[in-house]
Amino acid sequence: MNPDPLDLWRRMMLIRQCEAQLNDAFAKNLFPGYIHSYLGQEACAVGVCAALEDSDWIVSTHRGRGHYLAKGMALKPMMAEMFGRATGICGGRGGEMHAADPTKGILGGNGIVGAGMPIAAGAALSAQVEGKGRVAVAFFGEGASNNGSFAETMNAAAAWSLPLLMVCENNLYAEMTPFADTSAAPDIAARATGYGLPGEIVDGNDVLAVTEAATRAVERARSGKGPTLLELKTYRWGGHFEGDPKAYRSREEEVEWMDRCPLRCLREVLLDGRADAATLDTIEAELTEEVAAAIRFALDSPEPEPSSALAKVFAA
Amino acid sequence: MNPDPLDLWRRMMLIRQCEAQLNDAFAKNLFPGYIHSYLGQEACAVGVCAALEDSDWIVSTHRGRGHYLAKGMALKPMMAEMFGRATGICGGRGGEMHAADPTKGILGGNGIVGAGMPIAAGAALSAQVEGKGRVAVAFFGEGASNNGSFAETMNAAAAWSLPLLMVCENNLYAEMTPFADTSAAPDIAARATGYGLPGEIVDGNDVLAVTEAATRAVERARSGKGPTLLELKTYRWGGHFEGDPKAYRSREEEVEWMDRCPLRCLREVLLDGRADAATLDTIEAELTEEVAAAIRFALDSPEPEPSSALAKVFAA
Amino acid sequence: MPTRTYCWALIDAIREEMERDPSVMLLGEDVAAAGGAFGGSRGLLDAFGPIRVRDTPISEEIIAGLGVGAAMTGLRPVVEIMFMDFFGLCLDQIFNQAAKTHYIYDGMFRMPLVVRTSTAVEMGIGPHHSQLLEAWVGHVPGLKVVMPATPRDAKGLMKAAIRDDNPVIFIEHLALHRMKEEFEDGEILIPLGQAAIRRPGRDVTIVATGLMVARALEAAETLSADGIEVEVIDPRTISPLDIDTILESVRRTNRALVVTSSLKPFGFGSEVSAEITEKAFFHLDAPVRRLTPPFTPMPFGKGFEAFLHPDATSIAAEVRSLLA
Amino acid sequence: MPTRTYCWALIDAIREEMERDPSVMLLGEDVAAAGGAFGGSRGLLDAFGPIRVRDTPISEEIIAGLGVGAAMTGLRPVVEIMFMDFFGLCLDQIFNQAAKTHYIYDGMFRMPLVVRTSTAVEMGIGPHHSQLLEAWVGHVPGLKVVMPATPRDAKGLMKAAIRDDNPVIFIEHLALHRMKEEFEDGEILIPLGQAAIRRPGRDVTIVATGLMVARALEAAETLSADGIEVEVIDPRTISPLDIDTILESVRRTNRALVVTSSLKPFGFGSEVSAEITEKAFFHLDAPVRRLTPPFTPMPFGKGFEAFLHPDATSIAAEVRSLLA
Ligand SMILES: Cc1ncc(C[n+]2csc(CCOP(=O)(O)OP(=O)(O)O)c2C)c(N)n1
Ligand SMILES: Cc1ncc(C[n+]2csc(CCOP(=O)(O)OP(=O)(O)O)c2C)c(N)n1
Ligand SMILES: [Mg+2]
Ligand SMILES: [Mg+2]
């Protein structure tokens, strides 16, 4: 797997635009419910998904748009889903925390912190039984790593050598609570060894580093050697949800991390001989418009027919 | 804490007699339900409880008699409880998996594997709030260490520096399943570091080693330094319950471990200048009779009044 | 008399009980430094310090289990499980441990534990935050279950729950958090297990819980204009249920309707219906009805929720049909 | 015709489905090498190998979660949660994930998952192994819940459950494991959601589940000697409930009694009572009764259980009182 860095940048910019423009929509009161913003974490989703094929599976979280877009969910139906519209990929019934696309291997988000990990392990089990080298990825936050499901998943996946990547995006906060307040050890990766799988710390704002680590872990998984835990050190630029006053952290800390913006980091690499500023600016402008169009599409889409809520409780 | 080794031996012999004679009673069809035998693990309970005061708390498991007796529960009411009799310490309603004695700090057994650990952490929280240096102990098996509650307990206890001992009796089997079949890493102790607490492996058949390690962990806890995970390597002589044909392991393995009988090990130490064989034999004979009397007491006790089941659903 | 919101009434209750009794403490996700994910514990960390007010990891099982162990050993913990939708992660500690410990150990332990939890039903935030599972905990002997519908009740029930020696599941409606009520300061204790007659009436009894209490009252106003007088009963405690107050009413009105935000099959309405039928059958002029959302997961968005949940109009229509 | 026990009928069902469909697999504690903690999967590891039959760690949440993820991606897993009493550790995966995934994602995923579980009620092994929580799962939209009372039903319902594209909670009574029945070999499929009339009768309808079916039949024999003809209905599927069969019967008998091993408040009996009352009220000559153990945890020992649980005598007495 050797992805073109320009493609990585493009995908990160798509997510960046999506998150920034959704915040604007929220500020204008156009958005229903909460927004769990992915601003600042773009390199995590994009770096990991760059190591995957369409046929590989991912399981996302409450903070899922980055994963959805990185794994290839079409922008417009995803966006319409966020707004709960009939044109959404789930007909508007999933909403901000739930979107899926089996054709792209996207098995959904979740409103329950930690619940995605066992599900991803189940997908990895399918992959193992099938025997064609697919892998599954569980995305989750450092907060979720304090949940029992994390340990149970590591243990079972290691015991059975499941082709699973456990990707912890350590953005330092779970809602309003700093990780250090709820755990005596700072690194999630260190929890892996005791359960018999490798754990690795990666700079989650460096998309190339993430891609490389994920590629290694995917290879390990595909070749039957079992799961890997990756801890991507990153930062959630926004609050837990838009509107959160962020009293629990300093503005200095925020500035420090924003200085390490994953897009800016990659831009510097690209400008060093791989792309010129004009190209990047053009792409940015295109994506800006693409996202704006998707938001317009969502806003112009009808609300779902309320009675559609009665359907599909059971599969026929 | 510097317990007299002869006292340790006496207490281990009490448990040994209890377990052996209960097996006899079971073979004679005198016992209601299952017996989860503690034969072979006597040094674990006795070694840990030797490091404790009456005011310290323990939480036990489905395999609880060793812990109950080591922590000082009176033999007769305990025995009657095992037989579900009215004279049992819980009036016969707890039965083989449930006995408690708050006056001795015994907070109960459990039918749910892994559920005792969070409860012990709660007792440790009480101890911490009270601030008088009490500690709490969670006993559990290596099988339970695969449950999410284990990881959640380690993490929270370490984060809050709770005065908690997590005592894993690794007897190699969970019901009929060898630990190696359900985990990629052989040592439970290794899981501690990642959660920020010390984890130590101890010979669980050497009561002096267990006492020493537990004493250190208790001191650490009392002085506010937080929890410790102790992994006591030991062996369950019997099946998961009496009657289990033990098809999952070899007779050689059993013989090897029985050769390392915790009572015999200590006996050799004692005979080396601390006690003579006659004294030990006398004690053994006394305890044999004491246990036999307790079983007679249980068998002679009435069944509970069935309508007593209707009482005490709520505290008044 | 001062005016208080439902949310502040709860904070007042916990603060007063913590002042009164040093063994009361509060544990949960974001309850300390942040003052609660929804502001439901503002000021308590400052007032009582980090020993008694603690932020926990996202570990629902140990949150509940810490409460169990602490309650067995002399504390009176209030532990918060942010949403009742998360009970699937901690029910073992609640139904096997908290609920049964007093019983199994023949009364040797008390279990003065409050599990504070909430539902965001009708707030449009989707299937994992909109559930009301009072029937699950109502099915468990040894648990008490309360669900306040007004600010004053929220305060009085919380204070009583904290003083109770049994485990109490305390269910808040986030959609009521900003509801205001004028009521006296200080000591308010509402006994667990006591229903309130919110409005007297002679023609039909509505048993409504949580969000549905105000709607039932609204429907009652409309119906009153047509000469239909509805009695509205708010059980306040789901278990043990004050069935006597309900029966006394039904024996007068001869008709009953149960209205809930929770689902029908195996739900609160079925329990109330079965009890009324068993104990007041020959007073009934018509079968007891249950008005609830249809039996589906709760989709995202207020549009769906408005369609699915009972409102004053559908309640009034149901009453008319019951009287027809 | 050959004779089979309830336990072997279940093994046969799983074996036949595994032979028929390579996507069926079995996961759980002690299910592989040991052939099941109670012998409920003997021979399956040998027949199908360690890829398809696996021993799991004691990690109920991941056992259920593995089933969810595997079912979403093309397998048809049967996952075993040894006792229903342990559901407090894995309900999130069952009620938030398995039950809602098809719905939330607008039908994009199927969830052909069977959660096989059991109760040891009336086997005297105490409060953490004697619970029947069919009402909990019955309260969840998107789940199917079955509870066989005979060997043939055990086989036919298990085969149907495995072929169903929805999550099915399959509840076994260990106390029935050795029950024998003579029935045909091979393909037996009992559609989910279809009750069985175990005995026709004109005077009163008993709806009984699990262990209580045989006892209700026994009571019916006794009563028949006195000229009282009881109709006994075994719903077999708890959810979706075949209420039509029950209603049709009650419209003939005009009286109904529900008998369960599970508890009364918020239980199966309340649901059936509420449904009958709502839909056949004017056919009822008397209120629907519920006969269940009292509302307590289940203490240890067969003595207590014999006292607490309904038996043929108490069922017959209840019928007589219902007819009085
Ligand atoms: C089981 C559960 N507990 C609590 C919550 C409430 N909650 C939603 S997001 C969140 C924080 C999650 O933190 P983390 O895992 O670090 O992910 P992040 O939000 O930082 O991406 C919490 C506590 C929940 N949704 N589910
Ligand atoms: C939550 C739960 N899962 C499964 C069981 C069934 N069970 C009882 S004991 C046991 C094995 C426990 O193994 P371990 O923790 O090693 O303790 P040991 O029996 O070896 O003392 C199991 C699986 C249970 N009681 N509770
Ligand atoms: Mg985080
Ligand atoms: Mg073991």
Side-chain angles (χ1 to χ4, degrees):
Chain A
M1 189 72 37
N2 218 338
D4 178 355
L6 190 61
D7 278 350
L8 298 177
W9 193 80
R10 183 190 307 271
R11 202 145 280 219
M12 283 164 60
M13 182 55 79
L14 173 67
I15 298 170
R16 170 64 53 93
Q17 280 303 325
C18 175
E19 297 307 281
Q21 294 188 40
L22 276 177
N23 282 353
D24 291 346
F26 185 86
K28 289 187 199 132
N29 240 321
L30 295 172
F31 194 85
Y34 297 106
I35 293 192
H36 299 92
S37 166
Y38 200 67
L39 271 188
Q41 300 180 209
E42 297 88 350
C44 300
V46 170
V48 170
C49 292
L52 303 177
E53 307 285 347
D54 272 2
S55 55
D56 294 322
W57 286 304
I58 69 164
V59 177
S60 179
T61 66
H62 58 287
R63 198 179 295 290
R65 279 179 305 281
H67 311 135
Y68 304 149
L69 293 175
K71 190 70 171 47
M73 191 182 285
L75 179 62
K76 279 184 176 175
M78 187 216 71
M79 192 65 87
E81 190 59 40
M82 298 299 119
F83 284 82
R85 300 304 166 107
T87 53
I89 193 157
C90 308
R93 46 168 75 190
E96 206 259 343
M97 288 189 276
H98 301 277
D101 185 350
T103 67
K104 296 288 181 183
I106 301 166
L107 302 181
N110 223 305
I112 307 297
V113 168
M117 292 180 261
I119 298 173
L125 175 63
S126 272
Q128 187 178 67
V129 170
E130 186 191 46
K132 296 199 178 140
R134 291 203 218 205
V135 307
V137 177
F139 287 103
F140 57 98
E142 86 296 335
S145 79
N146 287 337
N147 200 279
S149 62
F150 167 69
E152 292 193 1
T153 304
M154 284 199 296
N155 182 61
W160 292 354
S161 297
L162 293 181
L164 179 69
L165 266 65
M166 300 187 60
V167 178
C168 180
E169 297 178 56
N170 185 343
N171 63 10
L172 302 185
Y173 297 92
E175 297 208 337
M176 285 70 88
T177 299
F179 187 64
D181 287 7
T182 59
S183 200
D187 298 323
I188 318 301
R191 298 180 181 181
T193 329
Y195 285 94
L197 68 164
E200 190 180 333
I201 295 178
V202 184
D203 178 351
N205 281 20
D206 177 349
V207 72
L208 300 174
V210 174
T211 307
E212 199 234 293
T215 304
R216 270 187 284 113
V218 166
E219 257 159 40
R220 193 178 129 81
R222 289 205 207 287
S223 62
K225 299 204 189 81
T228 302
L229 170 63
L230 297 178
E231 178 183 4
L232 314 182
K233 302 277 193 188
T234 185
Y235 198 73
R236 192 189 73 195
W237 285 14
H240 171 60
F241 43 72
E242 276 309 298
D244 159 9
K246 293 173 277 183
Y248 45 83
R249 70 190 194 188
S250 70
R251 295 301 81 83
E252 291 72 47
E253 183 186 278
E254 293 177 355
V255 168
E256 237 171 68
W257 276 94
M258 287 170 130
D259 274 349
R260 305 195 34 242
C261 168
L263 277 134
R264 186 190 310 156
C265 295
L266 183 59
R267 189 183 168 93
E268 276 159 24
V269 174
L270 289 170
L271 289 182
D272 193 18
R274 299 200 198 221
D276 57 25
T279 312
L280 298 181
D281 292 346
T282 311
I283 295 174
E284 179 167 350
E286 281 165 15
L287 291 170
T288 305
E289 178 40 33
E290 204 180 304
V291 167
I295 292 180
R296 281 195 306 273
F297 168 76
L299 287 170
D300 290 346
S301 293
E303 300 277 342
E305 176 53 48
S307 66
S308 69
L310 303 177
K312 301 186 190 170
V313 175
F314 287 109
Chain B
M1 189 74 34
N2 217 335
D4 178 353
L6 190 60
D7 278 350
L8 298 177
W9 193 81
R10 182 191 307 271
R11 201 145 282 217
M12 284 163 60
M13 183 54 78
L14 174 67
I15 298 170
R16 169 65 54 94
Q17 281 302 326
C18 175
E19 297 307 280
Q21 295 189 38
L22 276 176
N23 282 353
D24 292 345
F26 185 86
K28 290 187 202 135
N29 241 321
L30 294 172
F31 194 84
Y34 297 107
I35 292 191
H36 298 91
S37 165
Y38 201 67
L39 270 188
Q41 301 180 211
E42 298 87 349
C44 300
V46 170
V48 170
C49 292
L52 303 177
E53 307 285 345
D54 272 3
S55 55
D56 295 321
W57 286 304
I58 68 163
V59 177
S60 179
T61 65
H62 57 287
R63 199 178 296 288
R65 278 179 305 281
H67 311 134
Y68 304 150
L69 293 174
K71 190 67 171 46
M73 191 183 285
L75 178 62
K76 281 184 176 176
M78 188 217 71
M79 193 65 87
E81 190 58 41
M82 297 301 117
F83 284 81
R85 299 304 165 107
T87 52
I89 194 158
C90 308
R93 45 167 76 190
E96 205 259 345
M97 289 190 275
H98 302 276
D101 185 351
T103 68
K104 295 290 181 180
I106 301 165
L107 302 181
N110 223 305
I112 307 296
V113 168
M117 292 181 261
I119 298 174
L125 175 62
S126 273
Q128 185 179 70
V129 170
E130 186 191 47
K132 296 196 179 144
R134 289 203 218 207
V135 307
V137 177
F139 285 104
F140 57 99
E142 87 297 335
S145 80
N146 287 338
N147 200 280
S149 63
F150 167 69
E152 291 193 1
T153 303
M154 283 199 296
N155 182 60
W160 292 354
S161 295
L162 293 181
L164 179 69
L165 265 66
M166 299 186 61
V167 178
C168 179
E169 297 178 55
N170 185 343
N171 63 10
L172 301 185
Y173 297 91
E175 298 206 338
M176 284 71 85
T177 300
F179 188 63
D181 287 7
T182 59
S183 199
D187 298 324
I188 319 301
R191 298 180 181 181
T193 329
Y195 285 94
L197 69 163
E200 191 180 333
I201 295 178
V202 183
D203 177 352
N205 281 19
D206 177 348
V207 71
L208 300 174
V210 174
T211 307
E212 199 234 293
T215 304
R216 271 187 282 112
V218 166
E219 255 158 41
R220 193 179 128 81
R222 287 205 209 288
S223 63
K225 298 203 188 82
T228 301
L229 170 63
L230 297 178
E231 178 183 4
L232 313 183
K233 301 277 193 190
T234 185
Y235 198 73
R236 193 189 72 196
W237 284 14
H240 171 59
F241 43 72
E242 274 311 297
D244 159 8
K246 294 172 278 182
Y248 44 83
R249 68 189 194 191
S250 69
R251 295 300 83 84
E252 290 73 47
E253 183 187 278
E254 292 178 354
V255 167
E256 237 171 69
W257 276 95
M258 287 169 130
D259 274 348
R260 302 193 38 240
C261 169
L263 275 134
R264 186 191 309 158
C265 294
L266 183 60
R267 190 183 167 93
E268 277 159 23
V269 174
L270 288 171
L271 289 181
D272 193 18
R274 298 198 198 224
D276 56 27
T279 311
L280 297 182
D281 291 346
T282 311
I283 295 175
E284 180 167 350
E286 280 165 15
L287 291 170
T288 305
E289 177 42 33
E290 204 179 306
V291 167
I295 292 180
R296 282 194 305 273
F297 169 76
L299 287 170
D300 291 345
S301 293
E303 300 277 341
E305 176 51 47
S307 67
S308 69
L310 303 177
K312 301 187 190 170
V313 176
F314 287 110
Chain C
M1 277 197 296
T3 295
R4 275 275 181 285
T5 62
Y6 187 98
C7 180
W8 277 108
L10 286 164
I11 298 173
D12 287 349
I14 297 173
R15 202 190 44 248
E16 289 174 20
E17 293 307 301
M18 290 188 79
E19 275 161 3
R20 192 179 157 269
D21 182 348
S23 67
V24 178
M25 61 181 299
L26 179 66
L27 308 173
E29 293 161 17
D30 299 296
V31 301
F38 315 102
S41 47
R42 274 169 281 178
L44 297 177
L45 173 63
D46 285 348
F48 302 104
I51 296 285
R52 292 178 66 196
V53 181
R54 300 194 189 202
D55 285 321
T56 62
I58 307 178
S59 310
E60 278 73 14
E61 190 179 357
I62 207 183
I63 295 173
L66 284 165
V68 172
M72 288 173 78
T73 51
L75 296 178
R76 304 187 88 81
V78 177
V79 303
E80 181 169 312
I81 301 294
M82 199 182 290
F83 285 98
M84 192 158 206
D85 308 70
F86 308 162
F87 265 40
L89 299 166
C90 59
L91 262 170
D92 181 70
Q93 289 293 334
I94 292 174
F95 94 104
N96 275 328
Q97 316 299 332
K100 298 182 174 49
T101 293
H102 178 77
Y103 184 86
I104 296 178
Y105 299 113
D106 205 28
M108 288 191 280
F109 301 96
R110 293 173 310 143
M111 191 59 70
L113 168 67
V114 176
V115 180
R116 184 184 183 187
T117 191
S118 77
T119 176
V121 66
E122 293 205 48
M123 297 183 74
I125 58 174
H128 289 164
H129 292 77
S130 308
Q131 295 171 89
L132 242 178
L133 300 163
E134 79 280 21
W136 278 8
V137 278
H139 191 46
V140 179
L143 296 180
K144 298 187 178 181
V145 183
V146 301
M147 190 152 82
T150 69
R152 186 176 183 280
D153 276 10
K155 179 169 180 183
L157 289 167
M158 178 57 89
K159 288 172 69 87
I162 292 174
R163 293 193 203 176
D164 201 289
D165 276 342
N166 298 287
V168 181
I169 312 300
F170 194 98
I171 308 169
E172 301 168 27
H173 277 69
L174 290 186
L176 291 175
H177 255 208
R178 294 181 187 185
M179 180 187 195
K180 283 187 182 148
E181 190 180 8
E182 213 181 287
F183 58 92
E184 71 277 21
D185 264 334
E187 194 79 341
I188 298 173
L189 284 169
I190 296 179
L192 307 189
Q194 214 170 79
I197 300 180
R198 296 286 177 201
R199 182 189 200 283
R202 59 163 192 262
D203 297 320
V204 62
T205 301
I206 296 185
V207 180
T209 56
L211 275 183
M212 292 301 144
V213 174
R215 290 196 199 156
L217 291 169
E218 201 186 324
E221 285 307 307
T222 321
L223 291 161
S224 180
D226 294 350
I228 301 170
E229 291 304 333
V230 174
E231 178 145 314
V232 177
I233 296 182
D234 170 4
R236 305 197 284 201
T237 298
I238 301 298
S239 178
L241 183 66
D242 179 2
I243 190 69
D244 291 338
T245 297
I246 296 171
L247 292 174
E248 188 279 326
S249 172
V250 173
R251 289 192 186 110
R252 280 186 283 106
T253 62
N254 313 118
R255 285 182 161 81
L257 167 67
V258 191
V259 190
T260 65
S261 299
S262 49
L263 303 182
K264 185 186 292 188
F266 300 89
F268 179 75
S270 303
E271 177 58 21
V272 174
S273 169
E275 284 286 309
I276 294 175
T277 305
E278 188 172 308
K279 294 171 180 157
F281 182 72
F282 296 103
H283 291 89
L284 284 176
D285 288 343
V288 180
R289 301 264 186 111
R290 296 162 288 166
L291 186 62
T292 73
F295 197 45
T296 74
M298 204 44 65
F300 176 81
K302 294 190 178 168
F304 279 127
E305 284 198 303
F307 170 76
L308 295 168
H309 283 277
D311 60 12
T313 311
S314 62
I315 296 170
E318 194 73 17
V319 169
R320 284 184 216 278
S321 129
L322 180 58
L323 287 164
Chain D
M1 279 195 295
T3 295
R4 276 275 181 284
T5 62
Y6 187 98
C7 180
W8 277 107
L10 287 164
I11 299 173
D12 286 349
I14 297 172
R15 203 191 42 250
E16 290 173 21
E17 293 306 302
M18 290 188 80
E19 275 161 5
R20 191 180 159 269
D21 182 347
S23 68
V24 177
M25 61 182 297
L26 179 66
L27 308 173
E29 293 160 17
D30 300 296
V31 302
F38 316 102
S41 46
R42 273 169 282 177
L44 298 177
L45 174 64
D46 284 349
F48 302 104
I51 296 286
R52 293 178 66 197
V53 181
R54 299 193 189 204
D55 285 322
T56 62
I58 308 177
S59 310
E60 277 72 16
E61 191 179 356
I62 208 183
I63 295 173
L66 284 165
V68 172
M72 288 172 78
T73 52
L75 296 178
R76 304 187 88 82
V78 177
V79 303
E80 181 169 312
I81 300 295
M82 199 182 292
F83 285 98
M84 193 159 206
D85 308 70
F86 309 161
F87 266 40
L89 298 165
C90 59
L91 263 169
D92 182 69
Q93 288 293 335
I94 292 173
F95 95 104
N96 274 328
Q97 316 300 332
K100 297 181 174 50
T101 292
H102 178 78
Y103 184 87
I104 295 178
Y105 299 113
D106 205 28
M108 287 191 280
F109 300 97
R110 292 174 311 143
M111 190 59 70
L113 169 66
V114 176
V115 180
R116 182 184 183 186
T117 191
S118 77
T119 175
V121 66
E122 294 204 48
M123 297 183 71
I125 58 174
H128 289 163
H129 293 75
S130 308
Q131 296 170 90
L132 243 178
L133 300 163
E134 78 280 21
W136 279 8
V137 278
H139 191 45
V140 179
L143 296 180
K144 297 187 178 181
V145 183
V146 302
M147 192 152 81
T150 69
R152 187 176 184 280
D153 276 11
K155 180 169 180 184
L157 289 168
M158 178 58 89
K159 287 173 70 87
I162 292 174
R163 294 193 203 175
D164 202 288
D165 277 342
N166 298 287
V168 181
I169 312 300
F170 194 97
I171 307 169
E172 300 168 27
H173 278 68
L174 290 186
L176 292 175
H177 256 210
R178 294 182 186 183
M179 180 187 194
K180 284 186 182 148
E181 190 180 8
E182 213 182 288
F183 59 90
E184 72 276 23
D185 263 333
E187 194 79 342
I188 298 173
L189 284 169
I190 296 180
L192 307 189
Q194 214 170 79
I197 299 181
R198 296 286 176 201
R199 180 188 201 284
R202 59 162 193 263
D203 298 320
V204 61
T205 301
I206 295 185
V207 180
T209 57
L211 274 184
M212 293 301 145
V213 174
R215 289 197 199 156
L217 290 169
E218 200 186 324
E221 285 308 308
T222 321
L223 292 161
S224 179
D226 293 350
I228 301 170
E229 291 304 331
V230 174
E231 179 145 314
V232 177
I233 297 182
D234 170 5
R236 305 197 285 199
T237 299
I238 301 298
S239 178
L241 184 66
D242 179 2
I243 190 68
D244 291 339
T245 298
I246 296 171
L247 293 174
E248 189 279 325
S249 172
V250 174
R251 288 192 186 109
R252 280 186 284 107
T253 63
N254 313 118
R255 285 184 161 79
L257 167 67
V258 191
V259 190
T260 65
S261 299
S262 49
L263 303 183
K264 185 185 290 187
F266 299 89
F268 179 76
S270 303
E271 177 58 20
V272 174
S273 168
E275 283 286 309
I276 294 176
T277 304
E278 189 171 306
K279 294 171 180 157
F281 183 72
F282 296 104
H283 292 88
L284 285 176
D285 289 343
V288 181
R289 302 263 186 110
R290 297 163 286 166
L291 185 63
T292 74
F295 197 44
T296 74
M298 204 46 65
F300 175 81
K302 294 191 177 168
F304 278 127
E305 284 198 303
F307 171 77
L308 294 168
H309 283 278
D311 60 13
T313 312
S314 62
I315 295 171
E318 193 73 17
V319 168
R320 285 183 215 277
S321 130
L322 181 57
L323 287 164

